Structure formats: structure tokens, C-alpha cells
Amino acid sequence: MANYPDNLQYTKDHEWLRVTGATAEVGITDFAQSALGDVVYVELPVVGDSFDQGKAFGSVESVKSVSELFSPISGEVVAINEALADSPELVNTDPYKGGWMIKLTVENAGQIDALLSASEYEDFVATQSE
């Protein structure tokens, strides 16, 4: 059963975005963590780094592979999930809460509107497994 909360926005790179005021939390989707397998390491940027939409901001290493993480929007990193350094498995066990990765400032709200809704992302994922 798909697990894509309706209150999030999604990218075709399998990241999710939760907007709260002028900041946005970023993580990878349940589909992505399942495809990766057991996550063993997450490389994150430092607070103060800035990224343009679509640019790599880190990577996630699993027992199967290493995958880059791409910023869903442009912005400056205002927080990182330091718990992932000691507990990278949070990405697998709680991808939408404890497994969040970074928080960014929202520089261009129009970029958020262009992201996928939960139903649009679910349809996209269905095309990936065909």
C-alpha cells in the first residue's frame, strides 16, 4: 500500500517537501527508501549552505547503492537532522517524520506550486514500476 501523505509535495527524484511558513523540510519518500533498502549512511550539507532547485545537496548510502539527494526548491539550509548521523535507519523506519534530512528557507514559493501532489506522485511511481 502506498504511503504518500497528502500534506506534502513530491519530486520525480523521490524527495518530499513539507512547508511550514518560510521554511521547508525535505526527505525521501517511502518508495525511495524501500527501493534503496537498508540505509547505512546519510551525507548532509552544513547549515548555511545554499542550493538551487534540482541541485544535489547530499547522498544516501544503503546496502544496495549510493544515491544523490536533490533539492526540491532553492534555498539556504537552516537545519539538518543530526539524528541521522547515529541512526540512519530512521530514513527506513520513519521517512516522513524522524527521517527528515534538511530544512531550507523558501526563496521562491512558485517552485513549490510546480511540485507533485500526493496523487500525482503516486501516478508517477506507478509508471516507474511498469
mmCIF file of all heavy atoms in Angstrom, residues 71-101:
data_model
loop_
_atom_site.group_PDB
_atom_site.id
_atom_site.type_symbol
_atom_site.label_atom_id
_atom_site.label_comp_id
_atom_site.label_asym_id
_atom_site.label_seq_id
_atom_site.Cartn_x
_atom_site.Cartn_y
_atom_site.Cartn_z
ATOM 1 N N SER A 71 17.732 18.922 -4.187
ATOM 2 C CA SER A 71 16.917 19.925 -3.513
ATOM 3 C C SER A 71 15.622 20.188 -4.294
ATOM 4 O O SER A 71 15.683 20.582 -5.459
ATOM 5 C CB SER A 71 17.715 21.221 -3.376
ATOM 6 O OG SER A 71 16.978 22.149 -2.641
ATOM 7 N N PRO A 72 14.460 19.998 -3.658
ATOM 8 C CA PRO A 72 13.192 20.243 -4.359
ATOM 9 C C PRO A 72 12.952 21.714 -4.680
ATOM 10 O O PRO A 72 12.209 22.028 -5.596
ATOM 11 C CB PRO A 72 12.130 19.747 -3.371
ATOM 12 C CG PRO A 72 12.855 18.897 -2.399
ATOM 13 C CD PRO A 72 14.251 19.437 -2.341
ATOM 14 N N ILE A 73 13.573 22.611 -3.904
ATOM 15 C CA ILE A 73 13.418 24.054 -4.122
ATOM 16 C C ILE A 73 14.774 24.717 -3.874
ATOM 17 O O ILE A 73 15.674 24.121 -3.298
ATOM 18 C CB ILE A 73 12.365 24.681 -3.173
ATOM 19 C CG1 ILE A 73 12.767 24.470 -1.714
ATOM 20 C CG2 ILE A 73 10.967 24.142 -3.478
ATOM 21 C CD1 ILE A 73 11.900 25.235 -0.714
ATOM 22 N N SER A 74 14.882 25.957 -4.277
ATOM 23 C CA SER A 74 16.074 26.746 -3.977
ATOM 24 C C SER A 74 15.965 27.283 -2.554
ATOM 25 O O SER A 74 14.872 27.663 -2.122
ATOM 26 C CB SER A 74 16.188 27.933 -4.946
ATOM 27 O OG SER A 74 16.302 27.470 -6.264
ATOM 28 N N GLY A 75 17.086 27.316 -1.849
ATOM 29 C CA GLY A 75 17.055 27.876 -0.512
ATOM 30 C C GLY A 75 18.330 27.619 0.260
ATOM 31 O O GLY A 75 19.232 26.921 -0.198
ATOM 32 N N GLU A 76 18.382 28.218 1.448
ATOM 33 C CA GLU A 76 19.527 28.062 2.348
ATOM 34 C C GLU A 76 19.183 27.040 3.423
ATOM 35 O O GLU A 76 18.071 27.048 3.965
ATOM 36 C CB GLU A 76 19.852 29.406 3.005
ATOM 37 C CG GLU A 76 21.022 29.322 3.983
ATOM 38 C CD GLU A 76 21.315 30.662 4.647
ATOM 39 O OE1 GLU A 76 21.093 31.711 4.012
ATOM 40 O OE2 GLU A 76 21.762 30.636 5.806
ATOM 41 N N VAL A 77 20.130 26.176 3.732
ATOM 42 C CA VAL A 77 19.933 25.169 4.770
ATOM 43 C C VAL A 77 19.924 25.863 6.139
ATOM 44 O O VAL A 77 20.891 26.533 6.500
ATOM 45 C CB VAL A 77 21.049 24.097 4.718
ATOM 46 C CG1 VAL A 77 20.881 23.087 5.852
ATOM 47 C CG2 VAL A 77 21.067 23.401 3.365
ATOM 48 N N VAL A 78 18.823 25.702 6.873
ATOM 49 C CA VAL A 78 18.720 26.313 8.204
ATOM 50 C C VAL A 78 18.794 25.259 9.313
ATOM 51 O O VAL A 78 18.959 25.613 10.478
ATOM 52 C CB VAL A 78 17.442 27.160 8.342
ATOM 53 C CG1 VAL A 78 17.506 28.368 7.414
ATOM 54 C CG2 VAL A 78 16.191 26.342 8.085
ATOM 55 N N ALA A 79 18.670 23.976 8.943
ATOM 56 C CA ALA A 79 18.795 22.894 9.935
ATOM 57 C C ALA A 79 19.055 21.590 9.201
ATOM 58 O O ALA A 79 18.625 21.408 8.054
ATOM 59 C CB ALA A 79 17.516 22.775 10.763
ATOM 60 N N ILE A 80 19.786 20.705 9.870
ATOM 61 C CA ILE A 80 19.964 19.348 9.366
ATOM 62 C C ILE A 80 19.520 18.391 10.462
ATOM 63 O O ILE A 80 19.533 18.728 11.642
ATOM 64 C CB ILE A 80 21.422 19.047 8.939
ATOM 65 C CG1 ILE A 80 22.365 19.151 10.139
ATOM 66 C CG2 ILE A 80 21.853 19.958 7.806
ATOM 67 C CD1 ILE A 80 23.755 18.615 9.861
ATOM 68 N N ASN A 81 19.112 17.197 10.058
ATOM 69 C CA ASN A 81 18.676 16.188 11.026
ATOM 70 C C ASN A 81 19.908 15.467 11.560
ATOM 71 O O ASN A 81 20.364 14.484 10.978
ATOM 72 C CB ASN A 81 17.697 15.212 10.377
ATOM 73 C CG ASN A 81 17.097 14.263 11.385
ATOM 74 O OD1 ASN A 81 17.508 14.201 12.538
ATOM 75 N ND2 ASN A 81 16.114 13.503 10.933
ATOM 76 N N GLU A 82 20.434 15.956 12.666
ATOM 77 C CA GLU A 82 21.657 15.388 13.232
ATOM 78 C C GLU A 82 21.456 13.971 13.751
ATOM 79 O O GLU A 82 22.415 13.215 13.896
ATOM 80 C CB GLU A 82 22.181 16.311 14.335
ATOM 81 C CG GLU A 82 22.610 17.653 13.767
ATOM 82 C CD GLU A 82 23.156 18.610 14.811
ATOM 83 O OE1 GLU A 82 23.343 18.199 15.971
ATOM 84 O OE2 GLU A 82 23.396 19.769 14.453
ATOM 85 N N ALA A 83 20.228 13.571 14.022
ATOM 86 C CA ALA A 83 19.948 12.208 14.492
ATOM 87 C C ALA A 83 20.331 11.164 13.449
ATOM 88 O O ALA A 83 20.632 10.014 13.789
ATOM 89 C CB ALA A 83 18.473 12.069 14.855
ATOM 90 N N LEU A 84 20.361 11.553 12.169
ATOM 91 C CA LEU A 84 20.685 10.587 11.111
ATOM 92 C C LEU A 84 22.148 10.145 11.161
ATOM 93 O O LEU A 84 22.477 9.084 10.641
ATOM 94 C CB LEU A 84 20.363 11.166 9.734
ATOM 95 C CG LEU A 84 18.880 11.442 9.464
ATOM 96 C CD1 LEU A 84 18.701 12.023 8.065
ATOM 97 C CD2 LEU A 84 18.033 10.190 9.642
ATOM 98 N N ALA A 85 23.020 10.929 11.791
ATOM 99 C CA ALA A 85 24.429 10.534 11.895
ATOM 100 C C ALA A 85 24.573 9.249 12.702
ATOM 101 O O ALA A 85 25.358 8.361 12.351
ATOM 102 C CB ALA A 85 25.242 11.656 12.536
ATOM 103 N N ASP A 86 23.808 9.134 13.775
ATOM 104 C CA ASP A 86 23.877 7.938 14.620
ATOM 105 C C ASP A 86 22.803 6.910 14.278
ATOM 106 O O ASP A 86 22.938 5.739 14.626
ATOM 107 C CB ASP A 86 23.727 8.325 16.097
ATOM 108 C CG ASP A 86 24.904 9.142 16.593
ATOM 109 O OD1 ASP A 86 26.038 8.922 16.103
ATOM 110 O OD2 ASP A 86 24.692 10.001 17.455
ATOM 111 N N SER A 87 21.729 7.354 13.633
ATOM 112 C CA SER A 87 20.604 6.463 13.345
ATOM 113 C C SER A 87 20.100 6.648 11.912
ATOM 114 O O SER A 87 18.960 7.086 11.697
ATOM 115 C CB SER A 87 19.464 6.736 14.333
ATOM 116 O OG SER A 87 19.885 6.583 15.660
ATOM 117 N N PRO A 88 20.919 6.305 10.916
ATOM 118 C CA PRO A 88 20.481 6.486 9.523
ATOM 119 C C PRO A 88 19.265 5.627 9.173
ATOM 120 O O PRO A 88 18.546 5.943 8.227
ATOM 121 C CB PRO A 88 21.712 6.084 8.701
ATOM 122 C CG PRO A 88 22.508 5.210 9.605
ATOM 123 C CD PRO A 88 22.261 5.720 10.997
ATOM 124 N N GLU A 89 19.011 4.593 9.958
ATOM 125 C CA GLU A 89 17.864 3.721 9.701
ATOM 126 C C GLU A 89 16.530 4.448 9.874
ATOM 127 O O GLU A 89 15.489 3.951 9.455
ATOM 128 C CB GLU A 89 17.914 2.474 10.589
ATOM 129 C CG GLU A 89 17.700 2.727 12.062
ATOM 130 C CD GLU A 89 18.955 3.152 12.832
ATOM 131 O OE1 GLU A 89 20.010 3.396 12.209
ATOM 132 O OE2 GLU A 89 18.858 3.245 14.069
ATOM 133 N N LEU A 90 16.550 5.652 10.490
ATOM 134 C CA LEU A 90 15.317 6.441 10.595
ATOM 135 C C LEU A 90 14.728 6.741 9.215
ATOM 136 O O LEU A 90 13.513 6.899 9.082
ATOM 137 C CB LEU A 90 15.576 7.751 11.338
ATOM 138 C CG LEU A 90 15.808 7.639 12.837
ATOM 139 C CD1 LEU A 90 16.283 8.971 13.405
ATOM 140 C CD2 LEU A 90 14.538 7.184 13.535
ATOM 141 N N VAL A 91 15.582 6.803 8.208
ATOM 142 C CA VAL A 91 15.091 7.034 6.840
ATOM 143 C C VAL A 91 14.183 5.880 6.421
ATOM 144 O O VAL A 91 13.176 6.092 5.751
ATOM 145 C CB VAL A 91 16.282 7.195 5.865
ATOM 146 C CG1 VAL A 91 15.787 7.291 4.421
ATOM 147 C CG2 VAL A 91 17.090 8.427 6.229
ATOM 148 N N ASN A 92 14.511 4.671 6.840
ATOM 149 C CA ASN A 92 13.685 3.500 6.501
ATOM 150 C C ASN A 92 12.466 3.371 7.408
ATOM 151 O O ASN A 92 11.373 3.074 6.932
ATOM 152 C CB ASN A 92 14.499 2.198 6.625
ATOM 153 C CG ASN A 92 15.619 2.108 5.638
ATOM 154 O OD1 ASN A 92 16.769 2.102 6.038
ATOM 155 N ND2 ASN A 92 15.325 2.044 4.352
ATOM 156 N N THR A 93 12.660 3.590 8.693
ATOM 157 C CA THR A 93 11.580 3.306 9.642
ATOM 158 C C THR A 93 10.571 4.437 9.770
ATOM 159 O O THR A 93 9.425 4.196 10.152
ATOM 160 C CB THR A 93 12.157 3.012 11.043
ATOM 161 O OG1 THR A 93 12.896 4.155 11.505
ATOM 162 C CG2 THR A 93 13.057 1.785 11.006
ATOM 163 N N ASP A 94 10.975 5.677 9.465
ATOM 164 C CA ASP A 94 10.087 6.823 9.658
ATOM 165 C C ASP A 94 10.415 7.905 8.618
ATOM 166 O O ASP A 94 10.831 9.009 8.977
ATOM 167 C CB ASP A 94 10.283 7.365 11.079
ATOM 168 C CG ASP A 94 9.167 8.289 11.524
ATOM 169 O OD1 ASP A 94 8.122 8.337 10.855
ATOM 170 O OD2 ASP A 94 9.353 8.962 12.556
ATOM 171 N N PRO A 95 10.231 7.606 7.318
ATOM 172 C CA PRO A 95 10.709 8.516 6.271
ATOM 173 C C PRO A 95 10.086 9.900 6.284
ATOM 174 O O PRO A 95 10.718 10.854 5.827
ATOM 175 C CB PRO A 95 10.375 7.776 4.964
ATOM 176 C CG PRO A 95 9.297 6.825 5.315
ATOM 177 C CD PRO A 95 9.556 6.430 6.752
ATOM 178 N N TYR A 96 8.870 10.053 6.817
ATOM 179 C CA TYR A 96 8.191 11.353 6.758
ATOM 180 C C TYR A 96 8.270 12.155 8.060
ATOM 181 O O TYR A 96 7.778 13.270 8.108
ATOM 182 C CB TYR A 96 6.735 11.166 6.354
ATOM 183 C CG TYR A 96 6.592 10.535 4.993
ATOM 184 C CD1 TYR A 96 6.055 9.263 4.851
ATOM 185 C CD2 TYR A 96 7.017 11.205 3.844
ATOM 186 C CE1 TYR A 96 5.930 8.678 3.600
ATOM 187 C CE2 TYR A 96 6.911 10.623 2.594
ATOM 188 C CZ TYR A 96 6.360 9.358 2.475
ATOM 189 O OH TYR A 96 6.248 8.785 1.238
ATOM 190 N N LYS A 97 8.859 11.599 9.101
ATOM 191 C CA LYS A 97 8.982 12.349 10.359
ATOM 192 C C LYS A 97 10.424 12.285 10.856
ATOM 193 O O LYS A 97 11.200 13.188 10.620
ATOM 194 C CB LYS A 97 7.994 11.822 11.403
ATOM 195 C CG LYS A 97 6.554 12.141 11.025
ATOM 196 C CD LYS A 97 5.583 11.767 12.103
ATOM 197 C CE LYS A 97 4.162 12.128 11.643
ATOM 198 N NZ LYS A 97 3.155 11.663 12.542
ATOM 199 N N GLY A 98 10.805 11.225 11.550
ATOM 200 C CA GLY A 98 12.147 11.114 12.104
ATOM 201 C C GLY A 98 13.238 11.041 11.051
ATOM 202 O O GLY A 98 14.395 11.333 11.328
ATOM 203 N N GLY A 99 12.892 10.691 9.814
ATOM 204 C CA GLY A 99 13.875 10.542 8.745
ATOM 205 C C GLY A 99 14.045 11.771 7.870
ATOM 206 O O GLY A 99 14.700 11.695 6.823
ATOM 207 N N TRP A 100 13.487 12.916 8.311
ATOM 208 C CA TRP A 100 13.698 14.135 7.517
ATOM 209 C C TRP A 100 15.196 14.415 7.437
ATOM 210 O O TRP A 100 15.967 13.954 8.296
ATOM 211 C CB TRP A 100 12.931 15.323 8.111
ATOM 212 C CG TRP A 100 13.438 15.810 9.432
ATOM 213 C CD1 TRP A 100 13.109 15.314 10.655
ATOM 214 C CD2 TRP A 100 14.374 16.869 9.666
ATOM 215 N NE1 TRP A 100 13.770 16.003 11.644
ATOM 216 C CE2 TRP A 100 14.560 16.968 11.060
ATOM 217 C CE3 TRP A 100 15.065 17.742 8.838
ATOM 218 C CZ2 TRP A 100 15.412 17.908 11.640
ATOM 219 C CZ3 TRP A 100 15.915 18.683 9.422
ATOM 220 C CH2 TRP A 100 16.076 18.760 10.792
ATOM 221 N N MET A 101 15.622 15.179 6.435
ATOM 222 C CA MET A 101 17.057 15.382 6.228
ATOM 223 C C MET A 101 17.514 16.823 6.441
ATOM 224 O O MET A 101 18.459 17.053 7.178
ATOM 225 C CB MET A 101 17.435 14.895 4.836
ATOM 226 C CG MET A 101 17.210 13.403 4.734
ATOM 227 S SD MET A 101 17.578 12.748 3.138
ATOM 228 C CE MET A 101 17.308 11.014 3.494
#
